[in-house]
Amino acid sequence: MSELPALGWDATLASAYRPFDRSDTAAGRVLRADRGICTVLAADGVHRASLAGNLLISAAADPADLPCAGDWVVLRRWPDRRTTVDLVLPRRTALVRRTADKDSRGQMLAANMDTVAVVEPVHPAPDDGRIERLLALAWESGAQPIVVLSKCDTAGDPGAIARQLSDIAPGVRVLPVSARTGAGLDELREFVAPGRTLALLGRSGAGKSSLVNALAGTDVMGIQEIRRADGKGRHTTAYRNLVPIPGGGAVLDTPGIRGVGLLDTGGGLERAFADVAEVVARCRFGDCGHGAEPGCAVREALADGTLTARRWENWRKLSHEVAVESGRKAARLAATNRRRPRT
């Protein structure tokens, strides 16, 4: 396992793997997963592995059980030279978004990252609403979020932009970075130390692939220039990919995300909007509707400018989204319980 500690293999993972340790098995980390085939890095090199039958059966009930980039898995080598992924070891963190289908199930984007970087370009202008939504997703993962202001060489004063964004990212570090000039890269490398994994999350054209290449010191991800007129780009990365970094650590690059649905839990939302939650908690009544009720701290904060109308409205929008999804999940659970045979 001498090559794996640099990617995060530790005593906890070794303990989880021990019951499955046999002469025909090995532990490895998923670099890429698509269409039932995983590219896995083990101590003896890179393997292409199909999914074992037990994993396919489990995933039929819950697609989140499928291995994804960043997962630690148990590989099995068969006498006919096949290699299969037999088991996904317990995840420490998981980046999950809600799918757009009618079932609104969770889609695994990445696993076992220590830090999630919300990547937002400074040009044409950072989108506050998108940053807030992605930060809620990042907090929900269990990893530590940061905001990376990419392409900061295109701004006259990127530090000023970073200070402005700190108001919508309470408790989150905001780093101006340029893959072109190298500005801010040393600070970003702190999150890709040996044994640590950094996941990049953002829209297409945000500069994620350029950051991966800059951290790796070579061109490992394709890059396409954004359109000059509107700053938008085509999808450079079409799949989730774990890239080991020379000297240790790894970066998880994800495809550009056009929309991100939040799941039914509001823990990440509470962290992303900690300032708003603190204001709401000061209302005189616990069931305050923030309308005409006396002692409404939200109305006071909006009036004196300590809470902006835009941030309040986005909080309300995302809170409603989470509440609706919570109701859908409860309805699905009730329907499943009704279908179960009574014993």
Side-chain angles (χ1 to χ4, degrees):
M1 298 289 178
S2 58
E3 296 86 351
L4 298 185
L7 294 182
W9 183 263
D10 57 17
T12 300
L13 286 165
S15 177
Y17 170 69
R18 193 168 296 119
F20 310 99
D21 188 10
R22 303 184 328 208
S23 61
D24 61 346
T25 63
R29 196 164 189 199
V30 178
L31 302 179
R32 176 178 171 181
D34 51 355
R35 298 188 179 184
I37 300 293
C38 293
T39 304
V40 182
L41 178 62
D44 61 348
V46 177
H47 300 265
R48 292 279 286 170
S50 58
L51 303 184
N54 61 303
L55 268 182
L56 294 173
I57 293 172
S58 177
D62 186 354
D65 289 341
L66 285 172
C68 69
D71 268 328
W72 289 95
V73 297
V74 176
L75 292 174
R76 179 180 292 187
R77 303 181 185 90
W78 294 83
D80 60 4
R81 297 182 180 275
R82 286 183 302 123
T83 301
T84 58
V85 175
D86 277 22
L87 182 76
V88 176
L89 294 176
R91 294 163 173 149
R92 293 183 297 106
T93 58
L95 195 57
V96 188
R97 70 169 174 178
R98 178 170 52 82
T99 59
D101 58 29
K102 63 179 181 180
D103 291 332
S104 300
R105 303 209 175 203
Q107 179 190 17
M108 293 291 305
L109 297 178
N112 298 310
M113 56 276 157
D114 300 278
T115 308
V116 176
V118 173
V119 182
E120 183 74 11
V122 299
H123 178 76
D127 186 317
D128 292 353
R130 178 168 54 234
I131 293 173
E132 289 168 337
R133 180 179 285 269
L134 292 180
L135 279 176
L137 190 71
W139 277 118
E140 194 65 46
S141 74
Q144 176 64 44
I146 62 173
V147 174
V148 170
L149 279 177
S150 61
K151 308 180 184 181
C152 72
D153 55 289
T154 63
D157 190 354
I161 300 174
R163 289 189 292 274
Q164 292 172 1
L165 287 181
S166 64
D167 292 337
I168 66 165
V172 176
R173 192 171 171 184
V174 182
L175 300 178
V177 177
S178 170
R180 186 184 300 273
T181 67
L185 280 177
D186 286 343
E187 292 179 273
L188 189 60
R189 285 192 180 96
E190 297 174 12
F191 301 97
V192 199
R196 297 183 63 80
T197 298
L198 170 69
L200 304 180
L201 187 66
R203 69 166 175 84
S204 179
K208 300 185 299 298
S209 296
S210 296
L211 291 174
V212 174
N213 291 340
L215 291 169
T218 186
D219 289 341
V220 292
M221 306 298 294
I223 299 173
Q224 294 181 9
E225 292 294 328
I226 61 172
R227 298 195 298 261
R228 292 182 179 274
D230 56 13
K232 296 180 180 180
R234 296 180 180 178
H235 289 282
T236 300
T237 303
Y239 51 85
R240 291 168 285 281
N241 197 50
L242 180 77
V243 179
I245 299 299
V251 178
L252 268 163
D253 191 21
T254 62
I257 294 178
R258 293 188 179 91
V260 174
L262 301 180
L263 290 171
D264 62 298
T265 176
L269 189 62
E270 291 291 323
R271 298 290 297 274
F273 287 83
D275 55 332
V276 180
E278 191 274 333
V279 172
V280 171
R282 294 204 306 265
C283 287
R284 181 185 301 178
F285 302 106
D287 60 349
C288 182
H290 317 299
E293 295 88 346
C296 176
V298 170
R299 288 206 322 276
E300 294 175 4
L302 289 171
D304 65 23
T306 56
L307 176 62
T308 66
R310 188 211 62 79
R311 186 155 170 83
W312 169 244
E313 287 305 318
N314 204 30
W315 155 264
R316 292 183 62 186
K317 173 185 175 182
L318 296 180
S319 296
H320 175 72
E321 183 178 318
V322 168
V324 169
E325 180 56 27
S326 181
R328 289 175 177 170
K329 182 177 180 180
R332 288 196 300 268
L333 181 60
T336 299
N337 289 337
R338 285 195 298 268
R339 289 195 296 267
R340 287 176 179 167
R342 295 182 179 180
T343 58

